[in-house]
Amino acid sequence: MTSRRAVLGTALGGTTLAALPAVAQAAAAGPAVDATATAPRPWKLRNRMDSGDAWSKFLREQDLLWRRMPTLWHEGPFLGDGRLGSMVYREPGVNAVRFTVQHGEVQDHRPELGSGWGTCRLPVGHLTLDPVGTITGVNWRLSLWNAELTGTITTDKGTLTLAALSRDGVLAARVTADGDEEVHWTFHPEEAISPRKISEAPPTDYVTNPPWTTLTTGDIEQVLQPLTGGGQTATAYRHSGDTLVLTVAHSHPSNTRAAEASLKKIQKVQKTGSYAALRGPHTRAWHAFYRKSFVSIPDERLQSFHWIQLYKVASASVAGGPPMATCGPWLEPTPWPAVWWNLNIQLEYWLIHGSNHLELDSLATTVRQNQEQLTANVPAAYRSDSAGVGRSSDMFANRTVGRPGTGAEVGDLTWALHNVWLSYRHTMDDRLLRDTVFPLLRRAVNYYLHFLQPGDDGKLHLPSTLSPEYPVVPPQDTNYDLALIRWGCTTLLESARRLGVDDPLVPRWQETLAKLTPYPVDANGFMIGADTPYAQSHRHYSHLLMVYPLYLVNWDQPEQRELIEKSVVHWHALTGAHRGYSYTGAASLYAMMGRGDTSLTYLKKFFDPTTRYPCRANTHYTEAGPVIETPLSASQSLHDMLCQSWGGVVRVFPAVPSAWQDVTLHDFRTQGAFLVSAARKGGTTRFIRIRSLAGEPLRLRHDLTGGQVRAVLDDGTPARTRTSTDGTLTIELAKGREVLLYAGERPDLVIEPVAPGERGAAWGLPQP
């Protein structure tokens, strides 16, 4: 007798390929857009966010404010430049203010001890600002527009007025004293040992790193930290007048280069003079950063949160820099002092695409620069054609991966490459596809292909692998891996066609798609794997990857909607293990269904202080230590409500909550390399403007109502369009051209912030 699981799985296996972007076809139908009406004149958006004053005013409303002293890292201001990071809070047990000094490139170099101890991130140290008097209060502002902390520290002796920023590897602070106060800085080196020591003892063969030494060159102080595994960390700092500057360098295998580099950096900064000289280029760079896109919603606190996440990700990542560890550049005591590849790193980077900030993509540059290491991570017998990465690694992706059949977690590189593929799809830069995505994905999928075996049912099956962190004996045919294999083979076929590559593995990829076993499904929806139901609460949604973010099984397939919905409902029905990204993941899943109100309900659970792991005062998040990916993924959930692009279709305002009557988007980047601008007023979409950056086919879904929909090019002529039976609009749009869509009479084409609706307190710490 055929089981329900087999029947449902077979249905999925038979429809998955047809649902993918490269083969989705829109049927021709009667036009729903007036393609013959002649526009009376060319049009142009009026962007009221085109001046520095407008941006300064808008972002000031999003700033974080402190009216009392933060006492923990997840309460305080934070600064960063993609490598060097600092958090500001009270020095524990001391009348002083701590400025942490940590760096994303500072790590140990003993891979034989594993990522938790041997190649982990290592602490650097912290500064303290030590007042003469007892601290009685603070008044601080973290300016997003200027990426600068400013404010005062009040003591019973007077006032300290401070300003601080982090740019180009330098932490700079200017502090002046009034009354009987004085400015005293102290640098405190920290032991170069894994922050994992808070949760476990070191391995038995662990040898501590040597103690640091100090060196003085003129008025520049240095702390030099040698490492047992080779290499050096060097911190150099100088306090002169009202300005302190500090830099950190790390070298490996050289034991001296970091000292030379940090000294030269401070000497170079010394020549520029004052804090103001450092501040000028710093603020100009940040002002240019924000102007690349604009989002405004009527929920003030959530809007502020979103802009803080853009500040945060730009402080934590830069292309060519280290990949974000679970804590970003702000290392604190944590069980996770490394890069985690089975969910964390993926969620960290999603928001850079829609927000039009691909310059932050250190994940793409990391995998491109470390292809040899990714190859070395698989067993020697497979290195000729395969690559992979284990669950956690250092900044160089140095972590071996086990073999299917041994219960190993195998698919993490493939999932990370989905992020890189998203970067390609949002830029349509064939160099990224040719040099990074295609060769590495080919190797990652090849590793799977070595182990797929035909079963008695004629289908290809995968030996036991681990569905990330689901606590059972690893099953065969895990949905996590089956989804990644399907996505990987399909993407390789699409990529080969795009690049004109006659790859000899094309028949193998096609055969795999045709014969791969269906997704295991039971009465509750998608299972973990063969004969392994989803039966206990789980924070990850690894078993649902085919739905989100891969969209292999999606809401455009009516026959799959019941299965999708009951799978998501069942995932959240088993409570106890859910964490912040469980809520943001559900929010994005419901956004795919077009259910904006439900999506917002789940997203707000992340901010609900009654939940076990809510978002914290400074928008950071903790589970026994810093976990940066969840707040960043919450911004992606917001993106998914406002604009989606998958299956070859751009969807504008697909899941806007009913409470958000007004919404503004400007230069939101989508797959196909389009920039979308749109305005919603009183619950009605007034216009959509789309600019093509690559000349790719434009297929669009919209909710324009109130009259005949017009599509007008930027020279005022009608665009050529056609509409499919499902309402998808196809528009001919050449590279560099723009099209405007509206219904009825042409509305005011204005980009501006929306009026606040739901008000909320500023992030930070209010007065008690």
Side-chain angles (χ1 to χ4, degrees):
M1 181 176 180
T2 304
S3 70
R4 173 175 172 82
R5 176 173 69 86
V7 170
L8 287 171
T10 301
L12 288 174
T15 61
T16 298
L17 183 58
L20 293 174
V23 295
Q25 298 294 326
V33 173
D34 185 352
T36 61
T38 301
R41 64 190 183 282
W43 53 268
K44 185 177 181 181
L45 296 185
R46 287 189 293 148
N47 183 6
R48 291 178 178 166
M49 295 299 297
D50 62 354
S51 70
D53 288 344
W55 273 101
S56 177
K57 179 181 178 181
F58 174 77
L59 285 179
R60 186 174 177 83
E61 297 300 317
Q62 324 307 323
D63 286 349
L64 300 91
L65 306 176
W66 283 265
R67 299 296 180 257
R68 54 192 169 97
M69 175 71 78
T71 59
L72 300 166
W73 65 266
H74 52 73
E75 293 180 343
F78 54 98
L79 305 167
D81 62 8
R83 291 178 171 86
L84 179 63
S86 180
M87 282 190 162
V88 185
Y89 52 96
R90 185 169 195 140
E91 178 73 359
V94 178
N95 180 55
V97 180
R98 171 184 286 206
F99 286 71
T100 67
V101 176
Q102 308 296 351
H103 199 286
E105 293 176 355
V106 175
Q107 66 163 76
D108 219 328
H109 298 276
R110 292 178 279 179
E112 68 277 5
L113 297 175
S115 62
W117 287 92
T119 56
C120 59
R121 289 275 308 279
L122 290 174
V124 176
H126 63 274
L127 290 158
T128 54
L129 180 58
D130 307 296
V132 174
T134 301
I135 296 173
T136 58
V138 300
N139 187 349
W140 294 344
R141 175 183 292 269
L142 180 55
S143 166
L144 301 184
W145 177 234
N146 293 320
E148 182 182 35
L149 173 65
T150 60
T152 59
I153 303 164
T154 304
T155 77
D156 60 2
K157 298 294 185 181
T159 302
L160 297 172
T161 301
L162 70 88
L165 57 83
S166 178
R167 172 169 171 78
D168 193 26
V170 175
L171 175 64
R174 180 183 60 201
V175 181
T176 58
D178 292 321
D180 293 329
E181 266 301 341
E182 300 175 4
V183 179
H184 297 285
W185 286 102
T186 307
F187 180 70
H188 308 265
E190 295 174 6
E191 183 183 13
I193 188 172
S194 173
R196 202 177 180 100
K197 68 179 184 178
I198 67 165
S199 58
E200 66 183 30
T204 55
D205 55 348
Y206 181 83
V207 177
T208 58
N209 285 306
W212 66 79
T213 59
T214 60
L215 179 66
T216 301
T217 304
D219 59 355
I220 299 174
E221 304 291 333
Q222 285 183 285
V223 175
L224 310 178
Q225 175 64 66
L227 301 175
T228 299
Q232 180 190 51
T233 301
T235 304
Y237 57 97
R238 175 178 181 266
H239 182 208
S240 177
D242 62 5
T243 301
L244 176 137
V245 290
L246 177 148
T247 193
V248 177
H250 184 78
S251 60
H252 182 268
S254 171
N255 296 325
T256 59
R257 191 172 301 159
E260 298 165 3
S262 64
L263 179 61
K264 289 180 179 178
K265 186 78 169 182
I266 293 297
Q267 289 172 335
K268 180 180 179 181
V269 171
Q270 185 177 2
K271 294 178 182 179
T272 66
S274 66
Y275 179 89
L278 296 170
R279 185 179 184 273
H282 169 80
T283 56
R284 287 193 295 271
W286 276 94
H287 296 173
F289 167 81
Y290 286 115
R291 290 172 184 257
K292 296 188 72 174
S293 65
F294 181 69
V295 172
S296 182
I297 59 175
D299 184 327
E300 281 192 314
R301 189 163 169 83
L302 188 54
Q303 175 177 263
S304 176
F305 171 85
H306 172 69
W307 286 100
I308 295 167
Q309 300 326 293
L310 288 183
Y311 166 80
K312 184 188 297 177
V313 73
S315 299
S317 182
V318 62
M324 280 185 274
T326 56
C327 51
W330 303 287
L331 191 64
E332 294 281 341
T334 177
W336 305 294
V339 178
W340 249 254
W341 293 84
N342 63 356
L343 174 139
N344 307 66
I345 201 167
Q346 289 83 357
L347 274 61
E348 288 167 1
Y349 289 91
W350 284 343
L351 84 163
I352 70 173
H353 300 121
S355 62
N356 198 18
H357 287 296
L358 278 298
E359 76 278 7
L360 304 179
D361 194 356
S362 56
L363 174 57
T365 53
T366 292
V367 297
R368 182 175 69 244
Q369 294 166 357
N370 293 285
Q371 294 188 48
E372 290 186 6
Q373 181 61 60
L374 292 167
T375 296
N377 287 340
V378 300
Y382 307 99
R383 291 175 188 162
S384 63
D385 63 4
S386 300
V389 68
R391 175 181 291 182
S392 58
S393 79
D394 66 352
M395 62 176 288
F396 304 109
N398 186 347
R399 179 69 183 274
T400 58
V401 59
R403 297 185 303 170
T406 64
E409 194 172 280
V410 177
D412 298 345
L413 175 59
T414 309
W415 191 10
L417 289 173
H418 176 260
N419 275 59
V420 186
W421 176 82
L422 286 174
S423 291
Y424 158 67
R425 284 288 300 158
H426 282 76
T427 60
M428 300 309 299
D429 183 349
D430 284 342
R431 295 169 298 177
L432 180 58
L433 182 66
R434 180 184 59 249
D435 299 338
T436 306
V437 176
F438 187 75
L440 270 174
L441 185 59
R442 191 179 188 274
R443 282 183 163 272
V445 169
N446 270 351
Y447 192 51
Y448 276 124
L449 299 185
H450 284 295
F451 300 97
L452 288 175
Q453 295 294 327
D456 294 339
D457 57 359
K459 299 292 184 180
L460 293 173
H461 294 269
L462 187 68
S464 64
T465 55
L466 187 65
S467 183
E469 302 189 21
Y470 192 73
V472 298
V473 175
Q476 297 180 344
D477 295 333
T478 62
N479 272 326
Y480 176 72
D481 292 293
L482 294 181
L484 291 168
I485 292 170
R486 281 195 170 91
W487 174 80
C489 287
T490 303
T491 302
L492 286 168
L493 290 169
E494 293 174 7
S495 302
R497 287 194 295 268
R498 173 87 181 191
L499 298 171
V501 174
D502 185 17
D503 197 293
L505 285 174
V506 164
R508 184 72 188 280
W509 301 331
Q510 293 171 331
E511 178 189 33
T512 300
L513 288 172
K515 294 184 178 181
L516 189 64
T517 190
Y519 300 118
V521 174
D522 65 10
N524 292 314
F526 288 106
M527 304 167 68
I528 297 298
D531 302 317
T532 305
Y534 174 70
Q536 53 185 303
S537 184
H538 186 36
R539 59 184 182 171
H540 283 223
Y541 46 95
S542 309
H543 65 300
L544 301 178
L545 284 196
M546 74 293 289
V547 182
Y548 185 85
L550 303 182
Y551 294 105
L552 303 177
V553 180
N554 60 67
W555 209 246
D556 281 356
Q557 303 160 346
E559 70 279 10
Q560 308 299 354
R561 291 184 176 184
E562 179 184 359
L563 174 60
I564 293 170
E565 186 167 9
K566 69 182 178 182
S567 297
V568 177
V569 169
H570 185 58
W571 170 41
H572 268 270
L574 304 183
T575 60
H578 296 151
R579 298 294 186 267
Y581 53 71
S582 309
Y583 304 126
T584 65
S588 289
L589 282 157
Y590 281 107
M592 180 197 65
M593 303 179 200
R595 298 179 181 175
D597 288 344
T598 306
S599 179
L600 182 59
T601 296
Y602 274 95
L603 182 57
K604 286 196 170 183
K605 287 186 178 183
F606 175 54
F607 303 101
D608 186 345
T610 66
T611 60
R612 188 177 179 189
Y613 294 98
C615 185
R616 302 295 183 166
N618 61 1
T619 81
H620 282 264
Y621 174 75
T622 177
E623 294 176 23
V627 191
I628 194 175
E629 82 289 322
T630 301
L632 300 183
S633 74
S635 260
Q636 179 58 31
S637 299
L638 175 65
H639 284 184
D640 288 334
M641 296 178 198
L642 303 182
C643 189
Q644 301 173 22
S645 56
W646 50 270
V649 178
V650 175
R651 298 161 170 84
V652 180
F653 297 144
V656 178
S658 58
W660 298 356
Q661 292 290 290
D662 298 347
V663 178
T664 298
L665 284 182
H666 184 52
D667 284 350
F668 187 97
R669 187 182 279 258
T670 72
Q671 291 190 39
F674 298 104
L675 295 181
V676 175
S677 299
R680 189 175 179 86
K681 300 286 186 181
T684 300
T685 299
R686 303 297 295 143
F687 69 84
I688 300 169
R689 185 233 62 182
I690 299 179
R691 182 185 182 200
S692 174
L693 301 179
E696 290 295 306
L698 172 58
R699 300 175 66 232
L700 175 70
R701 289 189 191 165
H702 62 81
D703 64 348
L704 290 164
T705 58
Q708 180 68 50
V709 176
R710 300 174 186 268
V712 185
L713 295 175
D714 43 10
D715 61 2
T717 61
R720 299 184 63 180
T721 67
R722 66 181 186 276
T723 306
S724 65
T725 54
D726 65 359
T728 301
L729 179 65
T730 300
I731 304 173
E732 293 186 16
L733 189 61
K735 179 179 179 180
R737 297 296 300 276
E738 299 181 2
V739 63
L740 172 71
L741 293 100
Y742 61 94
E745 295 297 319
R746 182 184 296 181
D748 290 336
L749 306 178
V750 178
I751 298 297
E752 61 185 349
V754 304
E758 183 176 348
R759 295 189 176 273
W763 291 93
L765 289 176
Q767 286 183 320

Coordinates of all heavy atoms in Angstrom, one line a residue, residues 404 445-455 459-463 477 481-482 485 489 508 511-513 515-517:
P404 N 28.2 12.1 3.7 CA 26.9 11.5 3.9 C 27.0 10.0 4.2 O 27.9 9.3 3.7 CB 26.3 11.7 2.5 CG 27.0 12.9 1.9 CD 28.4 12.8 2.4
V445 N 27.7 20.7 -5.3 CA 26.8 19.7 -5.7 C 27.5 18.3 -6.1 O 26.9 17.3 -5.8 CB 26.0 20.2 -6.9 CG1 25.1 19.1 -7.6 CG2 25.1 21.4 -6.5
N446 N 28.6 18.4 -6.7 CA 29.4 17.2 -6.9 C 29.6 16.3 -5.7 O 29.6 15.1 -5.8 CB 30.7 17.5 -7.6 CG 30.7 17.6 -9.1 OD1 29.7 17.3 -9.7 ND2 31.8 18.1 -9.6
Y447 N 29.8 17.0 -4.6 CA 30.0 16.2 -3.3 C 28.8 15.4 -3.0 O 28.9 14.2 -2.6 CB 30.4 17.2 -2.2 CG 30.9 16.5 -1.0 CD1 31.9 15.6 -1.1 CD2 30.4 16.7 0.3 CE1 32.4 14.9 0.1 CE2 30.9 16.1 1.4 CZ 31.9 15.2 1.3 OH 32.3 14.5 2.4
Y448 N 27.6 16.0 -3.2 CA 26.4 15.2 -3.0 C 26.3 14.1 -4.0 O 25.9 12.9 -3.6 CB 25.2 16.1 -3.2 CG 24.7 17.0 -2.1 CD1 24.6 18.3 -2.2 CD2 24.3 16.4 -0.9 CE1 24.2 19.1 -1.1 CE2 23.9 17.2 0.2 CZ 23.8 18.5 0.0 OH 23.3 19.3 1.1
L449 N 26.7 14.3 -5.3 CA 26.4 13.3 -6.3 C 27.3 12.1 -6.1 O 26.9 11.0 -6.5 CB 26.8 13.9 -7.7 CG 25.9 15.1 -8.1 CD1 26.3 15.6 -9.5 CD2 24.4 14.9 -8.0
H450 N 28.4 12.2 -5.4 CA 29.2 11.0 -5.1 C 28.4 10.0 -4.2 O 28.8 8.8 -4.2 CB 30.5 11.4 -4.4 CG 31.5 12.0 -5.2 ND1 32.1 11.3 -6.2 CD2 32.0 13.3 -5.3 CE1 33.0 12.1 -6.9 NE2 33.0 13.3 -6.3
F451 N 27.4 10.5 -3.5 CA 26.8 9.6 -2.5 C 25.3 9.3 -2.8 O 24.7 8.4 -2.1 CB 26.8 10.3 -1.1 CG 28.2 10.6 -0.7 CD1 28.8 11.8 -0.9 CD2 29.0 9.6 -0.1 CE1 30.1 12.1 -0.5 CE2 30.3 9.9 0.3 CZ 30.9 11.1 0.1
L452 N 24.7 9.9 -3.8 CA 23.4 9.5 -4.2 C 23.3 8.1 -4.8 O 24.2 7.8 -5.6 CB 22.8 10.5 -5.2 CG 22.5 11.9 -4.7 CD1 22.1 12.8 -5.9 CD2 21.4 11.9 -3.7
Q453 N 22.4 7.3 -4.3 CA 22.3 5.9 -4.7 C 20.9 5.6 -5.1 O 19.9 6.1 -4.5 CB 22.7 5.0 -3.6 CG 24.2 5.1 -3.2 CD 25.1 4.7 -4.3 OE1 24.8 3.8 -5.1 NE2 26.3 5.3 -4.3
P454 N 20.7 4.8 -6.2 CA 19.3 4.5 -6.6 C 18.7 3.4 -5.6 O 19.4 2.6 -5.1 CB 19.5 3.8 -8.0 CG 20.9 3.4 -8.0 CD 21.7 4.3 -7.1
G455 N 17.4 3.6 -5.3 CA 16.7 2.7 -4.4 C 15.9 1.7 -5.2 O 15.8 1.8 -6.5
K459 N 14.3 5.7 -7.5 CA 14.6 7.1 -7.2 C 16.1 7.2 -6.6 O 16.5 6.2 -6.0 CB 13.6 7.7 -6.2 CG 12.2 7.7 -6.7 CD 12.1 8.7 -7.8 CE 10.6 8.9 -8.3 NZ 10.5 9.9 -9.4
L460 N 16.7 8.3 -6.7 CA 18.0 8.6 -6.1 C 17.8 9.0 -4.6 O 17.0 9.8 -4.3 CB 18.7 9.7 -6.8 CG 19.2 9.3 -8.3 CD1 19.8 10.6 -8.9 CD2 20.2 8.2 -8.3
H461 N 18.5 8.3 -3.7 CA 18.4 8.6 -2.3 C 19.7 9.0 -1.7 O 20.8 8.6 -2.2 CB 17.9 7.3 -1.6 CG 16.5 7.0 -2.0 ND1 15.4 7.4 -1.3 CD2 16.0 6.2 -3.0 CE1 14.3 6.9 -1.9 NE2 14.7 6.2 -2.9
L462 N 19.7 9.8 -0.7 CA 20.8 10.3 0.0 C 21.0 9.6 1.3 O 20.1 9.5 2.1 CB 20.7 11.8 0.2 CG 21.9 12.5 0.8 CD1 23.1 12.6 -0.3 CD2 21.6 14.0 1.2
P463 N 22.2 9.1 1.6 CA 22.4 8.5 2.9 C 22.3 9.5 4.1 O 22.1 10.7 3.8 CB 23.9 8.0 2.9 CG 24.2 7.9 1.4 CD 23.4 9.0 0.7
D477 N 17.7 11.0 3.4 CA 16.8 11.9 2.6 C 16.3 13.1 3.4 O 15.1 13.3 3.5 CB 15.6 11.1 2.0 CG 16.1 10.1 1.0 OD1 17.2 10.2 0.4 OD2 15.4 9.0 0.8
D481 N 18.8 18.7 2.7 CA 19.7 18.4 1.7 C 19.0 18.2 0.3 O 19.5 18.6 -0.7 CB 20.5 17.2 2.0 CG 21.5 17.5 3.2 OD1 22.4 18.2 3.0 OD2 21.2 16.9 4.3
L482 N 17.8 17.6 0.3 CA 17.1 17.4 -0.9 C 16.8 18.7 -1.6 O 16.9 18.9 -2.8 CB 15.8 16.6 -0.7 CG 16.0 15.1 -0.2 CD1 14.6 14.4 -0.1 CD2 16.9 14.3 -1.2
I485 N 20.0 20.2 -3.0 CA 20.4 19.4 -4.2 C 19.6 19.9 -5.4 O 20.1 20.1 -6.5 CB 20.3 17.9 -4.0 CG1 21.3 17.4 -3.0 CG2 20.5 17.2 -5.4 CD1 21.1 16.0 -2.6
C489 N 21.3 21.8 -8.6 CA 21.3 21.3 -10.0 C 20.6 22.2 -10.9 O 21.0 22.4 -12.1 CB 20.6 19.9 -10.0 SG 21.7 18.6 -9.2
R508 N 24.1 14.7 -16.0 CA 24.0 14.2 -14.6 C 23.1 15.1 -13.8 O 22.3 14.6 -13.0 CB 25.4 14.2 -14.0 CG 25.5 13.6 -12.6 CD 25.2 12.1 -12.6 NE 25.1 11.5 -11.3 CZ 26.1 11.2 -10.4 NH1 27.3 11.5 -10.8 NH2 25.8 10.7 -9.3
E511 N 19.6 14.3 -14.9 CA 19.1 13.0 -14.4 C 18.8 13.1 -12.9 O 17.8 12.5 -12.4 CB 20.2 12.0 -14.6 CG 19.9 10.6 -14.0 CD 21.0 9.6 -14.1 OE1 22.2 10.1 -13.9 OE2 20.8 8.4 -14.3
T512 N 19.6 13.9 -12.1 CA 19.4 14.0 -10.7 C 18.1 14.7 -10.5 O 17.3 14.2 -9.6 CB 20.5 14.8 -10.1 OG1 21.8 14.1 -10.3 CG2 20.3 15.0 -8.6
L513 N 17.8 15.7 -11.2 CA 16.5 16.4 -11.0 C 15.3 15.5 -11.4 O 14.2 15.5 -10.7 CB 16.4 17.7 -11.9 CG 17.3 18.8 -11.4 CD1 17.3 19.9 -12.4 CD2 16.8 19.4 -10.1
K515 N 15.3 12.1 -11.2 CA 15.2 10.9 -10.4 C 15.3 11.1 -8.9 O 15.1 10.2 -8.1 CB 16.2 9.9 -10.8 CG 16.1 9.4 -12.2 CD 17.1 8.4 -12.6 CE 16.9 7.8 -14.0 NZ 17.9 6.8 -14.3
L516 N 15.6 12.3 -8.4 CA 15.8 12.5 -7.0 C 14.5 12.2 -6.2 O 13.4 12.6 -6.7 CB 16.2 14.0 -6.7 CG 16.7 14.3 -5.3 CD1 17.9 13.5 -4.9 CD2 16.9 15.8 -5.2
T517 N 14.6 11.5 -5.1 CA 13.5 11.2 -4.3 C 12.7 12.4 -3.9 O 13.2 13.4 -3.7 CB 13.9 10.3 -3.1 OG1 12.7 9.8 -2.5 CG2 14.6 11.2 -2.1

